[in-house]
Structure formats: structure tokens, C-alpha cells
Amino acid sequence: MDGTVAVIGGGSTGTGIARDLAMRGFDVTLVEKGNLTHGTTGRMHGLLHSGGRYAVSDRSSARECIEENRVLREIATHCVEMTGGLFVQKEGDADEYFEEKLEGCRECDIPAEVVSGEEARAIEPYLAKDVKRAIRVPDGAIDPFRLCVANAASAIEHGARVETHAKVTDVLVEDGAVVGIEVEHESGPGKRVHRKPGTVEEIRADYVVNATGAWAGRVGAMAGVDVEVRPSKGVMVVMNTRQVDTVVNRCRPKGDADIIVPHETAAILGTTDEEVEDPEDYPEEGWEVDLMIDTLSELVPILQEARTIRSFWGVRPLYEPPGTGTTDPTDITRDFFLLDHDERDDLPGMTSIVGGKFTTYRLMAEKISDHVCEQFGVEAECRTADEPLPGSEDIGNLDEYMDEFGLRSPIAKRSTKRLGSFSPQVLGGSDPNPVVCTCEAVTSAEIDKAIDESGTDLNAVRLRTRASMGNCQGAFCCQGMASQLHPTYDEPTVRDAYDELYQERWKGERHGLWGEQLSQAALKYALHATTLNRDRDPAARESDLDFAAFDDGRTATNAGTDVSRSERETAADGGRRPTSPNGDSDGDS
Amino acid sequence: MAIREDVLVVGGGLAGMSAALSAAETGATVRLLSHKKSTLRHASGLVDCLGYSGDDGPFADPYAAMDDLPDDHPYRIVGESAVREGFDRFDSVVGDSYRGGHTDVNALIPTQAGTIKPTARYPASMAAGLASDTRSTLLVGFEGLSDFDAPLAADRLAAAGVPFDVRGVTLRFPKKFRADAKLTRYARALDRDEEPDKDRAPRFDGVRRALAELVRPKLDGAERVGFPSLIGDDRNDEVRDDLEERLGVPAFELAASPPSLPGVRLESRFLAALDEAGVRRTTGNPVVDYESADGAITTVYTDNNGQRVPYGADQVVLATGGLVGKGIGSSRESVREPVFDCHIPHPEDRYDWSATDAFGDQPFARFGVVPDDDLRPLDAAGETEFSNLRAAGSVLGGADFAAQKCGSGVSLATGHVAGERAGALI
């Protein structure tokens, strides 16, 4: 073993680094305070950049993007959907900018083709009638969670330890050097399990990598160094269907609300760019949601009438070297920076990585892993651009497995796409294998696998499988998902896990509550409150219920004696009986 | 020329059907217009009166708790006697197929989630499962039914402190269905007593007997046995009797979320009663427009594949449901009643329509038209919208049906009052 490294942060960068270092022979521990992707990675629109977006303003980023785009198509097939993308010019949008964009793409080796307005509408029939022309580029969609899980799985295969729900509470500094971290495990080390008590652990390490993005300043502060990240928030609005099947960008200089990314069954509208003080506590406002719908419906008019299922906000970890003094966050570079705290702050043993983009996460991980290798004098080569991620190994034609798994076609298609090369293993041994989440076609076998990996954390199960992320937002499947925790976990633990998932779903739903979705939310509320009494669950009461005060199916006159069904029927036929003696109690006494 | 009726009821749920029956009883001619299948199909089939109010409850006696409801609650508007009359009508429609009419006291019904909920009337198929009945209980679930986990539900009931021993067991249904078969498929197999699969039940030629033989060794002294709501559909009573006879203990169904066979069965009972009462029914087309004169509705138009069909009436009852049934609509800016554009008060900021806690006090749940003492919707200025329009059921504001467990009762009571008054004016 070449050395021990603690990586802080379970986003794309952190899991990418953990994988790379583990593959190069380091003894790696990755810690993440929430679920994998808890921070920025889990709160973006999942665009796999072609680089076209940066082809005018930031050509070195654009070149990196197209290179990494090609790499991820190879190594992460089960996470990527190559939808293609369009940079759309409307009447009135500047011709000069369109030409600059085209030239930039060509300069950066991004395949780019101009299509007429008519051709663009043939590709995307819902585009506005006044779309003049468009540039077609190889943009795609990528599932950030699936990608991080695959990176973490690969790291584990190479001997790494991955701890989620492990919050760093201190960076250990001894004799002027970083020697490790202290973490608080929410429910002890290993999988997160509700009701299991937390523990504190000191993780000694030869080197610490701070890959916490917008939170990098906080971890820096624990070590006594300044890392001035500038968190910038952006809103994303989830639509109920794919109004577009390719990524649609507005072809004009930077602006809010200029991209639509199709994702599995949904389309995601984005976004804004507004600096905030605190990456965890910032306002989420209705006008931001309205802005997305109103502005993007200029490109795709049906968005005005379409159904919004929820909204979420993410925070970019923007960084610029001290002294640059940029005031507008949209002007801050999307480049990444590697801050070696030995060189910078005379604190050996730790490096922070800040800035950067999701699409280039692997390259960032490679660079920082190279840097760590240098510290240790290790010569191992980076192999992450060549070796497929777990789930993306080539196993031939997945369609052939569909019959074998006993799944009907649309469900099998969705499952095998999500699972990739895990499909035979997950779907093969399960009978019966009912669909638990109908909206997203998630079967019980997939949920079992996710529970295996993530304990009682149903939000982690949700992110792994997409169960409860469809139109009904868990109205019909929360119960089934939670049930699968039993009997491995006991009833109160299952209840806590269920409650957490239910509340999490509601939180994002609130931003889209009008029209169809308000109606859907009212149905969800009715099912869970009216039918199942989840809102006043007697099991959650402090005091005992006075069961004897309620109807026990017998009449007041013969209560207390055991009567057969036929006798009770006779009584029931006899018309209304007087109120039982305890009838005035409300049961709380 | 419009199709004319004395009373026109718009909406085919519990409230609309009750209104139509009450109106017909006065001797008026009645037509009921319904667009889609009613939300009864999504409902559990339980008929609630009042279970909770604010932090209080569950109430054993719902009537005793009505005085403490807020002034704008529909129960306060129509009064306790109207609620009783609404339930009397319900009892006469459903006859022996429902229980609970022998007492004013609420029953506590176990659900598939392992919770228990207070309700006033329950299908006969659930009668043996009451939580105040102290007999020991076995719950039976089936592999592949992801909505229901019997051992988990049993543990949950125990956690609620029910006064009986309860266990759960998961069995393989004696006939194999497609992995994602719906409850209705199981119910149909039991209705028809289909042949079981030989590898699951080699010795029996009907699924009912095969099921009983599977359950019997698991009873272990249990004095009653609960199933998900799939113990037959059309022949629910027969299947249950058959199982009870073979098992020697009472069998019951647990209340459940959709698809809800008890809800569908309840709808059928009411439809039969409507036919018997001579109510004319037109289904499948939405009401899209109306005409009025001198502050009264004269004609209502449905859209029949692009063709406008007029219906004339002297009195009109609006029973189109709430947000779920689309009797209340909304946009990013406002909340409205889409048929007659009646006023619905609501906060200006849509973030004030809901509460942050999923089960908090949800303002949207109380959205609805504001009626006068005669159930006539009022406009923003407090004037009646139309002199001959009354509202009933979930389109009325002021009640949180889900939190208070009062939806069916409000529908029965206000439907009865609206229908009776409309009919009496003819």
C-alpha cells in the first residue's frame, strides 16, 4: 500500500478521486455527510456537456468538455443517454453570436452542424415557430447519482472504504500538518439505519483531499485555512414528461433560463446563477420557478401549459483566485483549481479542489490524483478514462435478457438501462418481481439491491432506482418501498424511514403545486391521510387509545359477550341502536 | 331545444348521487350529469362522519364533537340533524352490505398500512376486523403484492396498542399471476373459483379451497383472519362465506388505497338506487358552459365530442368534487371553480396554499366554494352567485376531509340537503 488518503465529499469529484486513487493503490476512505451526491452533484440538471455551451466564452473548458464527453460515453454507458443537443436561435437573437458559437465549436473540435428552423422543428416538434435555425451538437443527459454510485462501487472494488452520512466535524492538525479527520457517523459506521445511535470516529490519514465543493470553505476553516468559494444558486424545474427529446439551449449570450434537458421520463428546465452567502440556507422562491417556465416557453411554448412536478435548487462551488474581483457570478470561470495547502498556507497534508464542472469530474479527479501521487512519489498511471465503471461493462445485448427476467418490455427496457451490466445479477434471481413504482417502472428486485447498498435510507434507494420520482411523487409507491425494509429492519425503523422519504418528496413538490400537480398532491394527501390515517397514525400517539369506547361490531346491549357473525348481523338489521355508554369519549382520556 | 328536468345535478360522486336521490324523493324529475368515473374508485369504501378536529380525536362519538368545528365547516352550516338524515339515506341505500348503523359510535378500521382509522360505516367485508374487537388476529398477505406486507402491518397494529394479539404471514397465492397483477386479478380468480396452479396447490381444484388450506395451518389459534381487499369482487360475500366456513373463523378485508374494490362496490349500490328512483343519468361528457338569466342558471351545456348538448333545469346542484375530482381547478395565479366560475377564496401567494409539513395544516385541503345557509355559493362580495344553484360535497370549502375524516359524511349531509331543497322548490 502506498499510503492512506481521506477524501471528503461524496459528489462526482470526490467519488471520482476515491476511485482513481484506489485504482492507483492507495488506501482510501471517502466520507460524505449525506447521501452520495448530497451537495451540488445531486442538484444539477444532469447535462453531459458537448462543450458547446462554453465554445464562445471559455474555450479551454469547451475542449475539456468534449473530450470528457467522449470518455464518459465509453466508460459510463449505463449512466449516459446521448440525446444530442440544439443551440436554438430565435428571430431577434443575434446572428453574430450564432456565428461565434459555430466557429467556437469547430475550433474546439466539437461536432457542430447548422440546421434550419424547419429541420430543428422536425427534430423537436414543440419548438417555437419563430426558431430561425439551430446548431446541432453532441450534448447528452447523464444520471449523476448512478454515476457517483458506480464510481463509489469501483473504489470499493479496489479496496476503498466509503462512508455516507458521516459528517466531518474536525480536521486533525498535529505539529503543523494535517493528519486526519474526525467524523460523526449518523448511525455508526456502515450503512445508515434509522434509530441506530451515532458514533464519532477519528480517521488518521497520510493525506486529506477536500472535495466538498461549495462547502470547501467550511472544511478549510476546520484546518485553519481560507478557501474562498463563492456559492451560487440555480433553480431547476422538473416537468412531468419529455417535452423535448434533445437538449435544447437558447443560442444567445449568458442568461437565465436557457436550457431544457430531457431526463428519463422528465424534462428539467434550468437555471439561474445568483450568489448566496450560505450553501445550505438560501431562499427558494416562487418567482424563480415562474421565470423558468415563462422564459423557456419562448423556446417551447407548450411548457406554459405543461405540468410541473417539483423544483429544486443547487449551489455551484464557484471559485476564483483571490484578487480577480468579479462581481457577476456568471462571469466567474468554470475552471477548477487545486489548492495545495502546503504551498499556499504552509499546512502540509491537505489539498482542496474547487470550481469545475460535472462533465469534467473525471479529469479533475485525475489531476488531483496525480497531485497526490506526486506527494507520495508514486508513479502509477491513471486508468479511469479506459476502464468502464461497474454497470457499464460490455455484456452484449441487454435486450436478450428481457425475456429471461420475466419482465414486460417497457419495464425491462427501463430496468436494464438503469442497471446496465448489473441486470442479470439483480433481475435474474427474483421471483416474483412485481413493479413497485409504476411511474418509473421500478421493480422490487432493484429496490432490494438498493436497500442492500444503503440500509434504511429510502432517499438513497430513491436516488439509486428513481422509485417515487415520477408524476405521483410517491403517492402509490412509498408504502411498497418501505415495506421491503421489513423484516430485515423492525417496524418502528421502517416507519421512520417511510416518514423521512414522504416528507422529502413533499418538500420539493410544494414549488409546483398548481393545476394538475396540485390535484395530484391532493390525491396523495387523501390516500395517505383519508384512507390510511397516516397523519394521525395511532402508533405514533403518546397516550393509549381507549379502544373500548369505539364500535366493536356488537350492539350496546350484548357488548362484552362473544357473538357470532350471524348474531351480529341480526343486531345490525335491527336499526340504529342507542349510543354506547362510552360514546361521548373522544378516546383521549 | 334543451333537455329539461326539474333538478339537474352536476357530479356523480357520493354527494351528487345523494342529492339526486333526495331531490327525486320530493317528486321532482332529476338528471345527473357526470363526466368521469367518480373518485369513489380511489376511496377505501369506508364512510367517515368525523374522526378528528384540530389536535383532538379520534372521536368515539362524532356527533358530540360537531359543535366544536369552525363556523364555516359544512356540518355547522347544515346542522347535526342533516348529518343524521344523510346517514339514514346512506343506510337505506346500502342495506346489509354496510355496517355501523347500529350505533352513533365510530369504528376503528385496520388498514393495509397497519394503521387504524375512525369511520362511521364500513363494508360488511370489513366488519370482522374492527380494532375494538378483542379477538386474536392473523393477517394474510401474498408474495408479489407490494402494497401490503402482512407481518409489517401486524407489527404496526401492535405498536398502536390494539387490544388483541396480531400476527402476519406472507403466502404464495395458489395461482400464479403476472408479477405486477392488480388486486382485481386476484379478486376475479376468487369470484370464479378458478383452478389453482398444480405446483402450488396440487390437491385442490378451486382457488378458494386451496387458499383456505394454505391459511389454515397458519391460524395457530387466531380467532379471525384479515386479507387485503381482494376477497372476491362481484361475489365478495360468497367468497368470504366460503373461506370462513373452511377456516372456521371470521374473515375480513383491510381498508386500502386504490384500486379500491369496496369503493367500486359502493358506487354500484348507489347507481342501482338512482335507477330505482327514476333518476336519469348522463355520463362521459364534461359540462363546459352554461347560460343564466336574472341571476339564475337556465341551461347547462356538455361537450359531446365537440357537440354542445344543452340541459335545462329549474334547480341545479353542483357536486363536482374537490381538487382530486377536478371540481376545483387552479393555475399558477389562482384557484377557481371551473363549471360556473364560483368564487373560491385563497391566499394570493401560492406558497401559502400548502404547509411545509406534508401532514401539517394544509390550506389547499379547505379550498372550496363558500355557501350561504341554503348551500348557495357566494361571490367575493358575499352575494349569491346564482339563486338556483346549490353546492354539495367536496366542492364546498371549510372542511379538511383528509385530516378530519369527514369526507363521506359531508357529501351525504350536504348532498341530502341540497337535493331536498332543490326538489322542494319545484
Side-chain angles (χ1 to χ4, degrees), chain B residues 44-298:
Chain B
S44 61
L46 296 175
V47 179
D48 303 342
C49 182
L50 182 65
Y52 300 86
S53 173
D55 292 331
D56 299 329
F59 301 124
D61 181 354
Y63 295 100
M66 279 178 197
D67 285 348
D68 295 330
L69 290 170
D71 289 341
D72 64 343
H73 194 284
Y75 281 162
R76 296 294 305 277
I77 293 165
V78 297
E80 181 186 326
S81 62
V83 182
R84 290 185 182 278
E85 285 164 24
F87 273 94
D88 283 345
R89 170 164 308 288
F90 176 85
D91 292 339
S92 73
V93 169
V94 297
D96 207 19
S97 66
Y98 266 77
R99 304 292 157 78
H102 63 285
T103 173
D104 277 356
V105 175
N106 272 331
L108 296 171
I109 299 286
T111 76
Q112 281 190 193
T115 54
I116 39 181
K117 74 161 271 190
T119 196
R121 300 287 186 275
Y122 40 96
S125 67
M126 297 184 191
L130 301 192
S132 300
D133 179 331
T134 54
R135 287 175 292 181
S136 62
T137 305
L138 175 71
L139 302 183
V140 174
F142 300 110
E143 282 180 9
L145 274 187
S146 60
D147 280 354
F148 177 53
D149 182 308
L152 178 64
D155 287 355
R156 185 88 179 259
L157 284 171
V162 293
F164 51 87
D165 287 334
V166 55
R167 283 179 298 116
V169 62
T170 303
L171 302 175
R172 292 175 81 185
F173 196 76
K175 189 177 173 84
K176 184 173 176 160
F177 303 122
R178 221 176 44 214
D180 49 350
K182 299 264 181 285
L183 290 179
T184 40
R185 181 67 193 90
Y186 291 78
R188 199 171 355 128
L190 287 163
D191 263 0
R192 298 181 190 156
D193 202 14
E194 290 174 9
E195 200 177 325
D197 288 341
K198 285 301 160 208
D199 61 329
R200 295 185 173 210
R203 290 174 27 243
F204 309 105
D205 52 11
V207 284
R208 293 184 195 169
R209 177 144 184 226
L211 175 57
E213 295 302 328
L214 278 175
V215 172
R216 195 209 307 277
K218 307 287 181 190
L219 278 176
D220 198 19
E223 296 162 286
R224 52 182 171 165
V225 55
F227 294 94
S229 292
L230 51 68
I231 300 305
D233 182 5
D234 296 338
R235 299 181 186 173
N236 181 261
D237 286 339
E238 184 189 309
V239 174
R240 211 169 62 251
D241 282 345
D242 207 355
L243 288 173
E244 289 184 346
E245 194 177 315
R246 292 177 194 282
L247 289 169
V249 295
F252 63 92
E253 293 183 317
L254 294 152
S257 32
S260 165
L261 296 178
V264 175
R265 290 177 207 137
L266 177 58
E267 186 179 33
S268 309
R269 301 259 170 196
F270 265 83
L271 292 180
L274 290 172
D275 290 345
E276 206 173 305
V279 172
R280 299 180 174 95
R281 292 194 287 125
T282 308
T283 58
N285 302 313
V287 171
V288 289
D289 202 2
Y290 68 91
E291 276 170 15
S292 63
D294 302 329
I297 294 162
T298 53

Side-chain angles (χ1 to χ4, degrees), chain A residues 385-432:
Chain A
D386 306 312
E387 283 195 24
L389 286 160
S392 286
E393 297 96 345
D394 183 17
I395 54 151
N397 186 0
L398 280 171
D399 289 350
E400 286 169 15
Y401 285 92
M402 278 168 25
D403 283 345
E404 205 177 303
F405 303 143
L407 297 172
R408 283 176 302 148
S409 172
I411 293 160
K413 276 215 168 69
R414 303 278 321 269
S415 299
T416 49
K417 171 68 192 146
R418 280 189 298 260
L419 291 164
S421 53
F422 290 119
S423 303
Q425 177 201 329
V426 175
L427 301 172
S430 207
D431 181 41

Side-chain angles (χ1 to χ4, degrees), chain A residues 17-33:
Chain A
I17 294 167
R19 178 188 193 219
D20 199 336
L21 288 174
M23 284 168 84
R24 298 200 212 193
F26 286 92
D27 182 355
V28 178
T29 302
L30 174 90
V31 297
E32 160 58 51
K33 72 171 174 170

Side-chain angles (χ1 to χ4, degrees), chain A residues 284-287 289-291 293-294 304 313 406-408 411 431-436 438 444 476-477 479-484 486-487 489-492 494-495 498-499 502-503 506-507 510-516 518-541 544-556 562-565 568-569 571-573 575-580 582-588, chain B residues 42-44 46 48 52-61 63-64 84 87-88 91 96 99-108 111-118 121-122 127-128 130-135 143-149 151-152 155-156 159-163 172 176 178-180 182 223 237 240-241 244 250 255-258 323-326 330-332 335 350-360 362 364-365 367 400-405:
Chain A
E284 300 177 341
E285 292 172 69
W287 66 263
V289 176
D290 290 340
L291 177 76
I293 296 167
D294 293 338
Q304 194 64 246
W313 278 255
L407 297 172
R408 283 176 302 148
I411 293 160
D431 181 41
N433 184 21
V435 174
V436 176
T438 315
S444 145
F476 295 94
C477 62
Q479 168 76 13
M481 289 171 71
S483 293
Q484 280 187 238
H486 194 77
Y489 302 99
D490 65 11
E491 187 276 326
V494 175
R495 200 190 317 160
Y498 167 93
D499 286 344
Y502 195 87
Q503 294 290 351
W506 181 247
K507 186 170 171 267
R510 284 195 67 216
H511 303 296
L513 284 189
W514 65 83
E516 279 286 317
L518 179 56
S519 178
Q520 178 80 59
L523 172 62
K524 180 176 175 177
Y525 179 54
L527 291 180
H528 289 261
T530 310
T531 303
L532 301 176
N533 201 16
R534 286 273 188 196
D535 58 330
R536 313 283 171 133
D537 184 357
R541 284 169 63 95
D544 291 340
L545 249 182
D546 180 10
F547 284 91
F550 291 81
D551 178 13
D552 64 358
R554 305 164 214 186
T555 61
D562 198 7
V563 288
S564 71
R565 184 173 154 210
R568 282 202 299 280
E569 266 173 16
D573 288 341
R576 182 189 286 144
R577 299 284 168 144
T579 307
S580 88
N582 297 320
D584 56 354
S585 157
D586 70 4
D588 272 323
Chain B
H42 290 301
S44 61
L46 296 175
D48 303 342
Y52 300 86
S53 173
D55 292 331
D56 299 329
F59 301 124
D61 181 354
Y63 295 100
R84 290 185 182 278
F87 273 94
D88 283 345
D91 292 339
D96 207 19
R99 304 292 157 78
H102 63 285
T103 173
D104 277 356
V105 175
N106 272 331
L108 296 171
T111 76
Q112 281 190 193
T115 54
I116 39 181
K117 74 161 271 190
R121 300 287 186 275
Y122 40 96
L130 301 192
S132 300
D133 179 331
T134 54
R135 287 175 292 181
E143 282 180 9
L145 274 187
S146 60
D147 280 354
F148 177 53
D149 182 308
L152 178 64
D155 287 355
R156 185 88 179 259
V162 293
R172 292 175 81 185
K176 184 173 176 160
R178 221 176 44 214
D180 49 350
K182 299 264 181 285
E223 296 162 286
D237 286 339
R240 211 169 62 251
D241 282 345
E244 289 184 346
S257 32
L323 284 164
V324 179
K326 313 278 168 67
S330 63
S331 65
R332 274 192 275 159
V335 180
R350 67 170 185 261
Y351 283 81
D352 295 333
W353 299 355
S354 60
T356 47
D357 177 356
F359 289 132
Q362 295 293 356
F364 71 76
F367 284 172
D400 182 340
F401 304 134
Q404 297 169 331
K405 325 296 169 199

